[in-house]
Amino acid sequence: SQQGEEDPQALSIQEGENATMNCSYKTSINNLQWYRQNSGRGLVHLILIRSNEREKHSGRLRVTLDTSKKSSSLLITASRAADTASYFCATDARSGNTPLVFGKGTRLSVIA
Amino acid sequence: DTGVSQDPRHKITKRGQNVTFRCDPISEHNRLYWYRQTLGQGPEFLTYFQNEAQLEKSRLLSDRFSAERPKGSFSTLEIQRTEQGDSAMYLCASSLQGNDNEQFFGPGTRLTVL
């Protein structure tokens, strides 16, 4: 079963706009990771945020984590057509390198 | 370091046939994971290895599925007597123990069972 739920399921924006995707999960976590997947391809690791962190930045990406609400958000600023992909959050519910539990993903379309 | 590789990238087979997929992890990574992803869903965990030891198997992994990692390097996933419901993308990932469980994925093997 899947732990996380991304919201919205699909998002369509114009190039240059910001895109925000949310992820909710059910159980306590060790950390939370965001991945990108282009159609029919493997997953690309974007960013990892630990349970004791609240915000993290990487380039145009900003991730927040609220463990009290069991939720995370991924913000992509100044979006580009190349950002078009599915975005997944994945949680690590136990310590010690265990399998990740993924949500169903958000399909982002950036229109040039 | 060329990342995680998987072979083949695509496999079409007839129901009832056996198929085997291979995964080569990042060379220094001692953990290797197999996931399955169906259309419109996120990846679901199947099994994982630490070195050559298979440490956990999901209940999704029926007795028709078997995975090995004989020398702690590459891994194979075999599906016997394939069924149409086995059609999916099979993803392999690897990680370095203790590295926050940051997993790096291969391009996947897309299986179509006719």
Side-chain angles (χ1 to χ4, degrees), chain A residues 31-102:
Chain A
N31 62 47
L32 186 145
Q33 303 180 53
W34 284 91
Y35 287 83
R36 184 187 75 223
Q37 185 177 38
N38 291 85
S39 180
R41 304 285 186 103
L43 281 80
V44 174
H45 186 271
L46 295 177
I47 195 165
L48 179 150
I49 185 165
R50 297 187 181 98
S51 59
N52 62 354
E53 297 176 314
R54 292 296 167 258
E55 187 171 313
K56 204 162 183 180
H57 297 255
S58 176
R60 295 185 295 113
L61 305 180
R62 172 177 169 256
V63 169
T64 62
L65 180 63
D66 187 335
T67 53
S68 66
K69 295 181 179 178
K70 292 187 169 59
S71 68
S72 173
S73 68
L74 171 68
L75 168 68
I76 304 174
T77 60
S79 63
R80 305 166 182 168
D83 295 328
T84 295
S86 291
Y87 291 82
F88 296 90
C89 68
T91 54
D92 177 356
R94 294 168 284 161
S95 62
N97 293 50
T98 56
L100 297 176
V101 181
F102 287 83

Side-chain angles (χ1 to χ4, degrees), chain B residues 10-55:
Chain B
H10 303 274
K11 179 70 176 179
I12 299 173
T13 191
K14 293 182 179 178
R15 190 173 49 188
Q17 297 294 306
N18 299 344
V19 295
T20 300
F21 309 141
R22 176 179 171 128
C23 171
D24 286 88
I26 293 172
S27 57
E28 64 267 27
H29 286 184
N30 59 343
R31 296 234 174 175
L32 186 149
Y33 304 80
W34 285 99
Y35 294 84
R36 182 174 70 186
Q37 184 180 26
T38 54
L39 197 62
Q41 302 293 314
E44 293 182 292
F45 166 71
L46 292 177
T47 188
Y48 88 97
F49 294 83
Q50 178 172 307
N51 300 313
E52 65 275 9
Q54 189 172 18
L55 295 188

Side-chain angles (χ1 to χ4, degrees), chain B:
Chain B
D1 185 356
T2 58
V4 179
S5 62
Q6 292 186 245
D7 182 69
R9 295 290 305 277
H10 303 274
K11 179 70 176 179
I12 299 173
T13 191
K14 293 182 179 178
R15 190 173 49 188
Q17 297 294 306
N18 299 344
V19 295
T20 300
F21 309 141
R22 176 179 171 128
C23 171
D24 286 88
I26 293 172
S27 57
E28 64 267 27
H29 286 184
N30 59 343
R31 296 234 174 175
L32 186 149
Y33 304 80
W34 285 99
Y35 294 84
R36 182 174 70 186
Q37 184 180 26
T38 54
L39 197 62
Q41 302 293 314
E44 293 182 292
F45 166 71
L46 292 177
T47 188
Y48 88 97
F49 294 83
Q50 178 172 307
N51 300 313
E52 65 275 9
Q54 189 172 18
L55 295 188
E56 188 172 340
K57 292 192 289 186
S58 162
R59 64 180 183 276
L60 292 176
L61 209 69
S62 76
D63 56 6
R64 295 185 298 106
F65 287 69
S66 62
E68 294 182 344
R69 196 184 182 197
K71 298 181 180 178
S73 56
F74 73 91
S75 174
T76 58
L77 177 68
E78 181 183 17
I79 309 174
Q80 295 182 329
R81 304 181 303 282
T82 53
E83 302 173 355
Q84 287 186 324
D86 297 331
S87 295
M89 175 79 90
Y90 289 84
L91 294 163
C92 176
S94 68
S95 70
L96 186 61
Q97 185 179 0
N99 195 27
D100 280 328
N101 201 16
E102 189 171 343
Q103 295 185 18
F104 295 86
F105 282 77
T109 293
R110 180 165 296 284
L111 173 65
T112 302
V113 181
L114 302 176

